[in-house]
């Protein structure tokens, strides 16, 4: 195991030397080369676009941890707000909010084991441990994927550390607990033709996915210290609702018709530790080498050679060879929009997600007329809630009135605080 870890360390250290001289890690020059390829452009005629055609790449998920200790005042404030969040009185619940800078965090009524307190807004989900939890990190943070799409990581962490230091003392530098690196691309190749035998890897867990009747992708090595997903992102967006990616892809040259595929590697703390990339600074510096380690050392898509039983000698699939050579950098699409920090429903949430129930109801009952659909939906919703209300003494109208009052107080408190 020790030899295996040493080999992994050498790989990541070697490939890191491809960075510029100013950021050199002072290791031997890498044997892995990469090229920048053709820049994404919506002026490139389709017949001249490379295959695969790279639309974007970056960090999709980032989970950080900090060492330190809540201040006495910080823990008292969080304890009081958590108690308010646990109240049966909705007027008290609405006050379970903490303003820090231009953030307004909702303090949840439950912690996240083994952390005692959880704060959430549209940028961060922050879990804090109690002062008495000496063996635990001070904080564990999940950063919004949409925020990572549009905002430089330096701005994100500067804002995050201001929040944490407002409640804690002796705060360390950030460590990476988990990170997902990805590339979005289009290709003319039929990825459904990939067979499990074409993958050369140490991983043993494989799943080939379908959303009937369409092939939707692969999951490889899941639950491990490093894992991979190759999947149809356009199909996944129908479920996740992250349609802001359509504009980004279009500006990069997507024609709006081809399926966009995503190759994504997930790195957990254990593998990052082996590869000496746990600190956030080292992780950001090593994004390229980490990507090439995953593509060339841990997992390869090959062209099988039936005459050679040694799979390590099988040549790289041309698609994989291109994807492995991406010139990595942190270059989010920050010019497109700013991400609100407040957890107030956006137009997409109100007018797309908000009518999902109505459209599902109409489809289920074969209703095509909108006015008839709304009328029938309200009628059956009333029947449902009135029947359920026999046990709670709350009719459909009472239920609607209560929810409007609760949400009205919540959103008004956000507006008044900021």
């Amino acid at each position: 195991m020790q030899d295996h870890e040493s080999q992994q360390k050498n790989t990541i250290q070697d490939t890191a030397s491809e960075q510029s001289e100013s950021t050199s890690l002072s290791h031997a020059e890498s044997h892995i080369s990469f090229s920048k390829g053709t820049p994404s452009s919506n002026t490139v005629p389709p017949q001249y676009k490379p295959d695969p055609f790279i639309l974007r790449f970056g960090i999709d998920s980032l989970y950080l941890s900090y060492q330190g200790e809540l201040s006495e005042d910080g823990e008292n404030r969080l304890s009081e707000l958590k108690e308010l969040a646990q109240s049966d009185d909705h007027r008290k619940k609405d006050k379970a909010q903490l303003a820090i800078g231009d953030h307004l965090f909702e303090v949840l009524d439950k912690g996240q084991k083994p952390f005692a307190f959880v704060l959430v807004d549209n940028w961060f989900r922050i879990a804090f441990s109690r002062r008495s939890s000496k063996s635990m990190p001070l904080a564990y943070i999940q950063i919004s994927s949409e925020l990572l799409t549009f905002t430089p990581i330096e701005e994100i962490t500067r804002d995050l550390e201001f929040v944490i230091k407002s409640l804690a003392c002796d705060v360390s530098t950030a460590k990476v607990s988990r990170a997902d690196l990805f590339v979005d691309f289009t290709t003319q190749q039929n990825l459904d033709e990939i067979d499990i035998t074409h993958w050369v890897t140490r991983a043993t867990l494989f799943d080939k996915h379908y959303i009937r009747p369409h092939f939707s992708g692969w999951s490889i090595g899941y639950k491990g210290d490093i894992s991979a997903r190759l999947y149809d992102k356009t199909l996944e967006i129908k479920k996740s609702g992250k349609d802001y990616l359509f504009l980004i892809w279009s500006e990069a040259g997507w024609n709006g018709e081809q399926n966009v595929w995503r190759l994504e590697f997930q790195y957990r703390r254990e593998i990052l530790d082996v590869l000496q990339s746990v600190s956030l600074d080292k992780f950001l510096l090593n994004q390229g080498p980490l990507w090439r380690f995953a593509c060339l050392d841990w997992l390869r898509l090959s062209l099988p050679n039936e005459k050679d039983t040694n799979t390590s000698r099988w040549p790289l699939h041309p698609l994989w060879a291109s994807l492995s050579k991406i010139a990595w950098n942190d270059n989010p699409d920050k010019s497109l929009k700013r991400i609100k920090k407040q957890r107030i429903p956006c137009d997409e949430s109100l007018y797309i997600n908000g009518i999902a129930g109505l459209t599902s109801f109409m489809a289920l009952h074969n209703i095509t007329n909108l006015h008839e659909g709304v009328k029938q939906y309200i009628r059956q919703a009333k029947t449902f809630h009135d029947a359920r209300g026999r046990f709670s003494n709350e009719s459909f109208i009472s239920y609607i009135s209560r929810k409007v009052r609760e949400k009205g107080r919540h959103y008004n408190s956000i507006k008044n605080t900021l």
Side-chain angles (χ1 to χ4, degrees):
M1 176 64 183
Q2 204 167 25
D3 292 341
H4 177 54
E5 290 188 358
S6 298
Q7 182 181 3
Q8 289 179 320
K9 287 182 181 179
N10 291 337
T11 300
I12 199 68
Q13 290 170 351
D14 287 346
T15 54
S17 66
E18 293 182 0
Q19 308 297 321
S20 64
E21 290 184 2
S22 62
T23 57
S24 172
L25 299 183
S26 67
H27 293 291
E29 185 175 355
S30 172
H31 66 281
I32 301 173
S33 63
F34 61 88
S35 61
K36 294 188 175 182
T38 305
S40 298
S41 169
N42 55 11
T43 61
V44 181
Q47 62 268 32
Y48 298 119
K49 285 183 179 179
D51 191 357
F53 183 59
I54 307 300
L55 296 171
R56 63 187 294 260
F57 51 90
I59 304 172
D60 180 64
S61 295
L62 187 61
Y63 294 74
L64 301 178
S65 65
Y66 289 85
Q67 296 292 337
E69 184 179 74
L70 276 176
S71 66
E72 186 175 354
D73 178 64
E75 181 164 313
N76 288 339
R77 291 170 67 192
L78 292 179
S79 296
E80 291 169 2
L81 292 170
K82 182 178 178 180
E83 187 175 339
L84 287 174
Q86 294 171 340
S87 173
D88 292 331
D89 186 336
H90 291 285
R91 289 169 294 186
K92 290 184 178 180
K93 276 183 177 288
D94 292 338
K95 295 179 180 178
Q97 297 175 340
L98 180 62
I100 301 178
D102 53 357
H103 288 268
L104 184 65
F105 290 100
E106 178 184 351
V107 179
L108 302 189
D109 60 342
K110 293 182 177 64
Q112 174 185 318
K113 288 187 177 181
F115 297 93
F117 309 105
V118 176
L119 284 63
V120 183
D121 75 352
N122 210 37
W123 276 34
F124 306 123
R125 179 185 177 90
I126 307 177
F128 281 106
S129 60
R130 291 190 180 277
R131 287 164 55 83
S132 57
S133 303
K134 302 299 183 182
S135 62
M136 292 299 302
L138 160 68
Y140 179 75
I141 302 96
Q142 178 184 358
I143 299 173
S144 157
S145 176
E146 187 176 5
L147 180 64
L148 288 165
T149 299
F150 294 103
T151 310
I153 194 68
E154 293 81 5
E155 180 181 337
I156 295 172
T157 53
R158 185 168 57 248
D159 195 281
L160 173 61
E161 289 174 8
F162 172 80
V163 170
I164 293 174
K165 289 177 181 178
S166 298
L167 295 167
C169 50
D170 300 324
V171 179
S172 70
T173 56
K175 303 289 186 183
V176 180
S177 296
R178 172 190 150 187
D180 297 1
L181 299 179
F182 76 93
V183 57
D184 291 340
F185 64 94
T186 59
T187 181
Q188 298 293 335
Q189 301 186 49
N190 185 1
L191 301 186
D192 191 11
E193 295 178 352
I194 298 174
D195 185 76
I196 191 172
T197 59
H198 299 172
W199 296 108
V200 178
T201 179
R202 305 184 189 100
T204 56
L205 295 177
F206 287 77
D207 273 339
K208 191 173 185 180
H209 303 286
Y210 290 85
I211 299 177
R212 192 162 47 180
H214 303 289
F215 165 67
S216 60
W218 285 90
S219 298
I220 301 171
Y222 48 92
K223 297 183 180 180
D225 296 343
I226 181 171
S227 57
R229 294 174 66 204
L230 174 64
Y231 63 101
D232 187 333
K233 189 65 178 176
T234 41
L235 279 178
E236 190 266 348
I237 283 177
K238 293 179 180 178
K239 180 178 180 180
S240 71
K242 296 179 181 178
D243 52 4
Y244 57 81
L245 292 176
F246 293 155
L247 177 59
I248 298 174
W249 293 339
S250 295
E251 295 206 346
W254 181 51
N255 61 12
E257 297 177 359
Q258 275 188 289
N259 286 11
V260 176
W261 292 86
R262 172 168 290 191
L263 173 62
E264 183 175 280
F265 289 104
Q266 181 181 112
Y267 307 80
R268 293 189 177 274
R269 177 70 170 265
E270 292 77 9
I271 190 67
L272 292 173
D273 190 29
V274 170
L275 301 176
Q276 299 185 349
S277 300
V278 169
S279 75
L280 180 60
D281 289 344
K282 281 289 185 67
F283 171 78
L284 295 175
L285 178 64
N286 287 345
Q287 287 175 84
L290 284 166
W291 180 262
R292 290 187 291 279
F293 167 80
C295 284
L296 299 175
D297 289 83
W298 181 75
L299 176 69
R300 293 190 298 115
L301 179 60
S302 67
L303 293 174
N305 182 353
E306 296 179 357
K307 297 180 180 179
D308 190 346
T309 58
N310 187 344
T311 59
S312 65
R313 290 195 292 260
W314 289 357
L316 274 180
H317 192 290
L319 170 70
W320 205 254
S322 296
L323 295 176
S324 69
K325 294 177 182 178
I326 293 171
W328 209 266
N329 61 5
D330 176 29
N331 186 28
D333 305 277
K334 56 183 178 295
S335 62
L336 293 180
K337 70 173 182 178
R338 301 292 296 176
I339 307 303
K340 293 180 180 179
K341 296 177 180 177
Q342 303 87 355
R343 298 184 78 196
I344 296 177
C346 61
D347 287 349
E348 288 83 357
S349 177
L350 290 173
Y351 306 127
I352 296 178
N353 301 339
I355 62 173
L358 173 62
T359 54
S360 296
F361 173 84
M362 291 174 62
L364 181 65
H365 295 280
N366 296 317
I367 300 172
T368 57
N369 181 277
L370 175 60
H371 296 290
E372 181 63 23
V374 171
K375 184 172 69 175
Q376 291 289 343
Y377 181 81
I378 296 296
R379 181 180 298 165
Q380 294 203 32
K382 182 178 186 304
T383 300
F384 171 84
H385 281 278
D386 286 346
R388 193 174 68 164
R390 293 171 189 168
F391 303 99
S392 61
N393 295 320
E394 184 177 53
S395 68
F396 175 58
I397 299 301
S398 300
Y399 171 80
I400 293 293
S401 299
R402 177 171 63 83
K403 298 302 288 186
V404 170
R405 286 196 305 270
E406 289 174 7
K407 294 184 177 183
R409 285 197 302 268
H410 176 69
Y411 297 143
N412 286 332
S413 65
I414 291 177
K415 294 174 185 177
N416 293 335
T417 305
L418 299 179

